[in-house]
Amino acid sequence: MPRAGLDRAAVVELALAVVDDGGPTGFTDLTLAAVAARAGVAVPSLYKHVAGLPALRREVALVCVVDFVHTLEVVRERHGGADMLPAMAHATRDLARRSPGRYQAVQGTSWVRDPDAGAVQQAGAQAVAELSTAVAALGVPDERRIDAVRAFRAATHGFVVLELEGGFGMPDDVDESFDFLVAGLVGGLERLSVR
Amino acid sequence: MPRAGLDRAAVVELALAVVDDGGPTGFTDLTLAAVAARAGVAVPSLYKHVAGLPALRREVALVCVVDFVHTLEVVRERHGGADMLPAMAHATRDLARRSPGRYQAVQGTSWVRDPDAGAVQQAGAQAVAELSTAVAALGVPDERRIDAVRAFRAATHGFVVLELEGGFGMPDDVDESFDFLVAGLVGGLERLSVR
DNA sequence: CGCATTGGCTAATGGCATTAGCTTTTAGTC
DNA sequence: GACTAAAAGCTAATGCCATTAGCCAATGCG
């Protein structure tokens, strides 16, 4: 019997494929059994490469968060000043729609209180830092910086979650609703800087 | 052996207790085994009263959503005009903090695409209707009503989710951040009505 | 060519949901 | 008050998943 030739990276890659194929619940539904099936290998063999399901989840999440941060970085480099934050909002929603499972991996579970998820936490902090930069570019005063970042994260994350779950009953143009939300948010934050 | 004297309602009640004791993940962690243990009964016995775990989850969710709607109704009756929407925002967050598991039951899973969750969907629609009333009370024009409700839901839900998951790293006053968010939201929506 | 490493396997255990089928309580009726 | 049928509990069995232990064969290095 020839070997499958797996390694840690290959397993994570296959797990990402499982997540991507699983739609909005892809990350929740990520299972060692599914990865093993995809690899053409028995389940216990995976333990030669990853420490277990929670560890695999962390690895997957790390990839997704790093990707997300990179996306935000690109946005920052391309957009100066006031259009940076809206661009980040749209980039976030785009990612969530293109790869709902990966978005779930980024935001879904509470890595925050997981002592083994240091790398994920660090990457998450980077993402927040990018947002903070964008908020600052709007002219929001320093003492409101944290509040503004929280408001931005809450609004975009909430919207995306509701959209992915199908929480917006009627099909009235969701794109328009998102533009409305972002415009209101940016408007509100800009007004802070004027005073 | 004396009987336990269960019935459908009692099982749901016990399930709610499990959810309440489980913190933010109480609903996800709801298990027939946990309910059975609490009832002092073997797991299969529960099937005499509920159709299975998914059905029990639906029942639990229904109770939680109905409670939530009732909370919003009370808010509507007590507050007129412009302070109705902020009051609903705070009521939502209060509920989420007091009973994170129940909040998860309300918003967590996608009942929307579950053909057996008609009752939950109806109750959910009622909740949205209450929010719509509150938005209207702010003077938002009709053609922006849906967008405004969506923005409100996104902002509050997103905030609450991030808070519950511990997503707000630093402990900088979260109450203040929430007030900031709500104030910005209400301000933005009020401004719509002026034009 | 030999051999250690390593990647795969099967088998076993334990948690969970679910189904089937049995027994005993319980409540209703004569 | 006794008889019976429904209801409520039980145990046993199945299946899916993760995890651990221990075995065997492929691979690569000297």
Side-chain angles (χ1 to χ4, degrees):
Chain A
M1 323 145 181
R3 286 200 181 172
L6 290 180
D7 63 5
R8 187 190 201 74
V11 171
V12 172
E13 205 56 43
L14 288 168
L16 282 166
V18 171
V19 168
D20 286 336
D21 286 0
T25 62
F27 187 69
T28 310
D29 297 348
L30 174 61
T31 192
L32 288 185
V35 175
R38 218 169 256 260
V41 127
V43 176
S45 306
L46 297 177
Y47 284 79
K48 290 287 154 85
H49 308 293
V50 294
L53 183 58
L56 179 58
R57 292 199 124 96
R58 270 193 305 267
E59 306 254 23
V60 167
L62 183 56
V63 171
C64 297
V65 176
V66 167
D67 275 3
F68 178 55
V69 169
H70 182 248
T71 303
L72 293 183
E73 280 169 359
V74 169
V75 170
R76 169 167 52 73
E77 283 157 12
R78 283 221 235 285
H79 300 76
D83 62 333
M84 201 156 116
L85 197 63
M88 285 186 180
H90 281 98
T92 303
R93 178 166 176 249
D94 287 347
L95 178 126
R97 283 154 58 101
R98 206 176 330 111
S99 317
R102 294 197 187 209
Y103 184 82
Q104 200 195 359
V106 173
Q107 300 280 1
T109 321
S110 52
W111 306 113
V112 185
R113 61 191 85 174
D114 180 344
D116 296 329
V120 180
Q121 287 164 22
Q122 264 183 268
Q126 258 186 281
V128 172
E130 291 292 338
L131 296 180
S132 190
T133 302
V135 163
L138 270 181
V140 173
D142 281 2
E143 68 273 18
R144 281 292 170 228
R145 194 76 152 277
I146 292 179
D147 292 335
V149 171
R150 286 177 175 175
F152 176 84
R153 291 177 63 202
T156 52
H157 178 52
F159 193 96
V160 163
V161 167
L162 290 176
E163 182 180 10
L164 286 185
E165 279 177 358
F168 295 141
M170 29 221 123
D172 298 58
D173 199 340
V174 177
D175 291 350
E176 202 178 322
S177 293
F178 190 66
D179 287 338
F180 175 84
L181 175 67
V182 173
L185 200 57
V186 170
L189 295 180
E190 269 180 333
R191 212 161 324 106
L192 278 182
S193 64
V194 173
R195 292 184 186 172
Chain B
M1 322 146 185
R3 285 200 183 173
L6 290 179
D7 64 5
R8 188 189 198 76
V11 171
V12 172
E13 204 58 41
L14 288 168
L16 282 166
V18 171
V19 169
D20 286 336
D21 285 0
T25 62
F27 187 69
T28 311
D29 296 347
L30 176 60
T31 192
L32 287 185
V35 175
R38 219 170 256 260
V41 128
V43 175
S45 305
L46 297 177
Y47 284 79
K48 288 289 152 82
H49 308 292
V50 294
L53 184 58
L56 179 58
R57 290 198 126 94
R58 270 192 306 266
E59 305 255 24
V60 167
L62 182 57
V63 171
C64 297
V65 177
V66 167
D67 275 3
F68 178 55
V69 169
H70 183 248
T71 302
L72 292 183
E73 281 169 357
V74 169
V75 170
R76 169 168 51 74
E77 284 157 12
R78 284 221 234 284
H79 300 76
D83 61 333
M84 200 157 117
L85 197 64
M88 285 187 180
H90 281 98
T92 303
R93 178 165 175 248
D94 288 347
L95 177 125
R97 284 155 57 102
R98 206 176 330 112
S99 317
R102 295 197 187 209
Y103 184 81
Q104 201 195 359
V106 172
Q107 301 279 3
T109 321
S110 54
W111 306 113
V112 184
R113 61 191 84 176
D114 180 346
D116 296 330
V120 180
Q121 288 165 20
Q122 264 184 270
Q126 260 186 279
V128 173
E130 292 291 338
L131 296 180
S132 191
T133 303
V135 164
L138 270 181
V140 173
D142 281 2
E143 66 274 19
R144 281 293 170 227
R145 195 80 150 277
I146 291 179
D147 292 335
V149 170
R150 285 176 174 174
F152 176 85
R153 289 177 63 201
T156 52
H157 179 52
F159 193 96
V160 162
V161 167
L162 290 176
E163 181 180 10
L164 286 185
E165 278 177 359
F168 295 140
M170 31 220 122
D172 298 58
D173 200 339
V174 177
D175 291 350
E176 201 177 323
S177 293
F178 190 66
D179 286 338
F180 175 84
L181 175 67
V182 173
L185 200 58
V186 171
L189 295 181
E190 269 180 335
R191 211 162 323 105
L192 278 183
S193 63
V194 174
R195 289 183 188 171

